[in-house]
Amino acid sequence: MTSSTKASRTLKYTDGATQFRQRIITSLLSSRPLLLRNIRSDDLDAPGLREHEASFLRLLDRMTNGTKIEINATGTQLRFKPGVLLGGEIEHDCPVGANGRSVGWFLEGIFPLAAFGKEPLQLTLRGVTDGTSDVDPSPDYLSASLIPLMIKLGIGSDGDHPPPLLKVMQRGAAPMGGGSVDFYCPIVKELKPLELVDFGKVKRIRGTAISCRIPPSSAQRVAHSAKGVMHRLLPDVWIHTDVHSSSGRKRKGDHGAIGGCGPSPGLGVLLTATTTEGICLSVECSMNHNVSDSDNNAFNIGAQQPIERRQMELPEDLGKRSATLLLHEIHGGGCIDTSCQSFALLMMCLTPEDVSRIRLGPLSQYAMVSLRLYKEALGVEFKLRVVEEESGGNDEDDEDDFEDDRKRNRGQKTVICSCLGIGYRNMARAST
């Protein structure tokens, strides 16, 4: 191969750290070198790569063989030459504090690569596990949303290896962390085509309210508030509480969990809705520590302006907010969560040379940008077809007029995405 051909295969971007993980993932999967320029070059105080981005590169370097990473002196330019995925047993400490990200941010970048190594991946990550749902997913959310999707794609479903498993060994709320998670993923030769277009009807809702270094009554208040909203729609609602104290002790018999939590307090809730077609939609919320107390604001007489006070979000408000987000996700009509759209579309690109289809709700901005990236790096174009939700006509018993009117007034539209996979095969896996 000539040098000009190698240069043309290089993925070059001049917009800095935009889609940092996605570009590195597609570089590894397509075996094409990557060049990123102008990484926060306009930031005079702290230009270049952040600490968590450099940590992610170190993790990938340990997961692969032959990867070459070159970063210039200022950190504003990155050259990434992909190697071969290995897998195996790996331990990694994720940065915490103001310059860190949660373990969910790292897991999101590892999930698309985990099944294509030479050996099954057994990864242990330590850092922040909870309290960052506004920016990063928690391990519980990834376990409830991405793990079932990986099994549908044929990862761990052949019986030779156990299915993927993501387990929280110790909780660690933001910002100090102190948590630990174990992730296991078997290897596959190739994926299965994906067919997810039938949504069905919601039949049950399950959830968990998680608290660290907070009185147990707070988690119970969150669960009670969320159930109060959901019980107006269906009776099969169960929300459990998972309380962790600073003593490092936990109830025996909890699947070998070592219990305890990190030094920071935190409160969050995860809700999952399951439909009659086996579709799982999940949302999560964590306590907002910067809520404006507009009702009890003091008044500055001298400046004739109200003094805005800040307080922590009430557990009841957290429960209602999580229930509202789940209802919004269900109303979208997609067969996967909005936050999982980019991952699902990427895995569809890697399926065998057969048509894969999936029904999505409103496309997120991140998914739209990802579609352009997949077209450039993998050469896969998606066919998008907007479908207006049909109302009524699927029940065995006739619904009353109010129910029919409610369905007609929905007016939501879904998008059916279909593509022809590239037939990606795990060449690192030892042949038998």
Side-chain angles (χ1 to χ4, degrees):
M1 185 179 293
T2 62
S3 59
S4 60
T5 306
K6 291 182 179 179
S8 62
R9 293 184 68 250
T10 302
L11 299 171
K12 299 179 181 180
Y13 300 97
T14 59
D15 53 353
T18 304
Q19 284 196 306
F20 179 78
R21 292 169 301 170
Q22 290 295 100
R23 290 173 175 175
I24 293 180
I25 291 170
T26 54
S27 174
L28 279 166
L29 293 175
S30 63
S31 300
R32 298 177 62 180
L34 175 68
L35 174 61
L36 298 181
R37 292 193 179 100
N38 302 326
I39 302 176
R40 301 184 183 89
S41 57
D42 296 335
D43 192 344
L44 300 180
D45 296 330
L49 293 172
R50 295 289 184 256
E51 183 179 357
H52 60 276
E53 295 167 343
S55 179
F56 183 71
L57 292 174
R58 289 193 296 268
L59 176 58
L60 289 181
D61 186 48
R62 299 180 62 187
M63 288 180 56
T64 58
N65 182 28
T67 297
K68 295 182 179 180
I69 303 172
E70 299 178 4
I71 305 173
N72 65 352
T74 59
T76 57
Q77 178 173 301
L78 167 66
R79 289 183 180 272
F80 184 85
K81 183 179 179 181
V84 179
L85 290 167
L86 295 179
E89 297 184 7
I90 300 174
E91 295 184 5
H92 186 74
D93 293 325
C94 305
V96 298
N99 298 324
R101 300 293 289 266
S102 74
V103 297
W105 185 86
F106 290 81
L107 287 170
E108 268 190 320
I110 299 301
F111 266 57
L113 307 172
F116 301 109
K118 185 177 181 180
E119 299 175 352
L121 177 64
Q122 299 181 15
L123 177 64
T124 299
L125 294 178
R126 289 180 288 267
V128 176
T129 62
D130 298 274
T132 60
S133 61
D134 292 339
V135 290
D136 298 327
S138 68
D140 302 275
Y141 174 80
L142 296 176
S143 179
S145 57
L146 294 190
I147 295 294
L149 185 59
M150 295 175 70
I151 296 176
K152 287 184 174 68
L153 288 162
I155 302 176
S157 62
D158 54 0
D160 296 337
H161 299 280
L165 177 64
L166 180 59
K167 186 176 182 180
V168 180
M169 305 304 296
Q170 182 170 326
R171 299 283 175 183
M176 299 304 295
S180 175
V181 300
D182 287 347
F183 173 53
Y184 168 79
C185 183
I187 58 176
V188 293
K189 190 66 176 177
E190 60 181 355
L191 301 176
K192 295 180 180 178
L194 188 63
E195 183 74 14
L196 283 179
V197 293
D198 296 327
F199 182 81
K201 295 184 178 181
V202 178
K203 63 178 181 180
R204 66 170 177 263
I205 293 176
R206 297 291 182 264
T208 305
I210 304 167
S211 66
C212 297
R213 289 179 174 263
I214 286 181
S217 60
S218 297
Q220 297 173 359
R221 290 162 62 186
V222 172
H224 181 75
S225 177
K227 286 190 292 185
V229 177
M230 291 302 178
H231 273 156
R232 298 166 59 185
L233 305 175
L234 75 164
D236 193 0
V237 180
W238 289 87
I239 302 178
H240 305 278
T241 58
D242 187 9
V243 179
H244 298 261
S245 64
S246 59
S247 62
R249 299 287 182 179
K250 197 179 179 182
R251 295 186 301 270
K252 294 182 179 180
D254 194 8
H255 305 287
I258 61 177
C261 63
S264 300
L267 180 63
V269 58
L270 170 73
L271 299 179
T272 301
T274 305
T275 71
T276 55
E277 297 293 336
I279 302 299
C280 295
L281 297 178
S282 301
V283 298
E284 64 172 342
C285 289
S286 55
M287 176 174 287
N288 191 346
H289 294 264
N290 199 22
V291 179
S292 175
D293 186 10
S294 57
D295 296 334
N296 299 319
N297 282 342
F299 195 79
N300 189 338
I301 299 178
Q304 296 296 318
Q305 293 179 353
I307 301 175
E308 189 176 29
R309 294 177 178 175
R310 297 286 178 174
Q311 65 179 7
M312 294 179 63
E313 184 180 21
L314 293 176
E316 289 79 8
D317 295 337
L318 177 62
K320 292 178 181 178
R321 182 159 62 92
S322 62
T324 303
L325 285 177
L326 182 59
L327 293 176
H328 180 74
E329 196 70 48
I330 295 172
H331 182 264
C335 292
I336 58 171
D337 310 334
T338 303
S339 302
C340 302
Q341 291 178 355
S342 178
F343 172 80
L345 296 173
L346 174 59
M347 302 307 282
M348 289 172 63
C349 296
L350 306 178
T351 54
E353 296 180 2
D354 196 358
V355 177
S356 295
R357 297 193 306 159
I358 190 170
R359 182 187 297 270
L360 303 179
L363 284 175
S364 64
Q365 185 67 30
Y366 192 81
M368 296 179 188
V369 180
S370 298
L371 287 174
R372 303 187 186 102
L373 174 63
Y374 302 155
K375 179 181 178 181
E376 178 182 0
L378 302 174
V380 178
E381 292 189 30
F382 281 80
K383 178 182 178 182
L384 307 182
R385 180 166 61 93
V386 179
V387 179
E388 189 168 359
E389 188 72 15
E390 296 180 359
S391 61
N394 293 328
D395 296 333
E396 295 180 0
D397 300 327
D398 292 336
E399 299 286 348
D400 54 16
D401 293 337
F402 174 80
E403 183 70 9
D404 290 336
D405 291 338
R406 184 184 65 83
K407 289 183 178 180
R408 291 191 197 93
N409 291 334
R410 277 179 171 182
Q412 83 271 21
K413 296 181 180 180
T414 58
V415 181
I416 294 183
C417 302
S418 58
C419 75
L420 190 66
I422 62 175
Y424 185 84
R425 298 176 66 87
N426 183 5
M427 303 307 295
R429 176 180 178 180
S431 60
T432 57

